[in-house]
Structure formats: structure tokens, C-alpha cells
Amino acid sequence: GLAGGKVASAAGGWSHSLAVLRGGRLLAFGCGEAGRLGLGDQRDRPTPSAVPLGEAVAMAAAGGAHSLAATAGGRVYAFGDGRQGQLGVEPPDHATAMSAAGHRCCVFPARVEALAAISPRAVACGGDFSLVVAHDGSLYSFGANSFGQLGLGCAPDQRAPCRVEALRHVAIATAAAGAGHCLAAGWPRDKAAE
């Protein structure tokens, strides 16, 4: 169980769940296929298990078969199925395994180095894409773009985080993602500040 921990936030994917406890511990449970739980294997977990991050987690998001976690120190980690670029990182070999479907997946959290210069305000996972909102109000998207869900027009799938330039005049406060769509909420940026 939660071992007496108080839940600060929770996220639900298609078949897995994440809970961030007060104090920053990240717990994962449900289907472990493709490493979406970040526990080093692909086994299902009927009860919550601690994700080995080694630092306090501020927020987490769960998608179709992948997950994101943002730490209190401003780092973003990804794990699970990354076939369409939804992890935003090419995980190191020691963090990967072959899935039941025959593709490489990330079974341990891998740091998304391309987001090292931003401080995350919010994270969201769709079916096979991801969103990160920076504290400066910028929105970054990566993964599948078959329906234009990345906000990048007709661009192909993105394996690395891309700033959504169409929203550069908007300070994004939060974002949410569905199976193949997303929503970002914010307000107009002060023209003098740009």
C-alpha cells in the first residue's frame, strides 16, 4: 500500500497509475508492460511500489504506455514505451529492455536532457505523446503527431522536445492531454516583456 504516506497528486494512464506522496516519493502500480512503471522490469504491480528516482518528485503524468516525472529540482524523467518519441530521450542501454511486442522500452527513469534548461511547471502524457509546461510559460511537446496533437502543424512525430512556437505569445499555465489531443491554458504575454 501507501505505507501511511499522504498523496499529494495522482495520475492515471490507460492501464497504470502514479501517485506522488507528500515529501516527493513516487509510487507506481498497474500494468508494467513496456516499463511504464519505471521499476526496472515489465511486471504488473497490483500494489504501489516506489520508483527509484533518488530525488523528490514534484509532479507526474501517465500516458498510454509511458510516464513522466518532474522533480522538485527541476529535472524531467521519462520511462515506458518510446517508439514514437514520447519519452523525449533515447534511454541508455542499461535502462532498456525488449517489450513483449518486440521493441525496446525504457524500464528505468531516464532524464530528458533536452529539457535541462527549463524549470517544469506542469507535465502531461497523452496516448503516445508528452507535454511539458515551463515556468516561463513555454509549452514543449514530443512524441506522435498523427492528429496534430503536438501543436506543431503537420510536422512528423518528434523524438525530442520542441517548443510550440504557435503559442509563443501566450504564457501557458497548464496543459492536459487525451489519447490524441491536448489542451493548453494560459493568458496573453505582456508585449513589452518579449
Side-chain angles (χ1 to χ4, degrees):
L2 298 178
K6 295 190 185 269
V7 176
S9 64
W14 287 354
S15 57
H16 71 293
S17 300
L18 304 172
V20 178
L21 302 183
R22 292 186 192 165
R25 233 171 95 201
L26 177 62
L27 303 178
F29 50 105
C31 176
E33 183 182 347
R36 68 189 81 187
L37 300 179
L39 299 171
D41 57 37
Q42 298 181 67
R43 292 184 304 130
D44 295 347
R45 298 299 201 294
T47 58
S49 298
V51 177
L53 264 171
E55 56 186 302
V57 172
M59 65 196 91
H66 72 291
S67 303
L68 291 180
T71 68
R75 287 172 283 285
V76 177
Y77 290 87
F79 41 99
D81 183 354
R83 284 180 289 176
Q84 293 176 280
Q86 63 265 46
L87 300 182
V89 63
E90 193 61 40
D93 287 340
H94 73 274
T96 64
M98 291 302 286
S99 74
H103 63 275
R104 222 175 86 164
C105 58
C106 184
V107 296
F108 285 109
R111 186 170 176 198
V112 184
E113 295 290 344
L115 295 172
I118 71 143
S119 178
R121 173 185 290 185
V123 294
C125 293
D128 49 14
F129 68 99
S130 300
L131 305 170
V132 177
V133 178
H135 267 284
D136 72 359
S138 300
L139 177 64
Y140 294 83
S141 63
F142 43 103
N145 195 38
S146 50
F147 305 110
Q149 64 265 45
L150 298 183
L152 304 172
C154 295
D157 295 353
Q158 299 296 308
R159 300 200 68 75
C162 295
R163 183 173 177 184
V164 179
E165 292 297 331
L167 296 175
R168 70 183 173 278
H169 298 296
V170 179
I172 303 300
T174 192
H181 67 287
C182 70
L183 174 70
W187 51 87
R189 290 184 188 269
D190 180 4
K191 295 289 184 192
E194 289 189 19

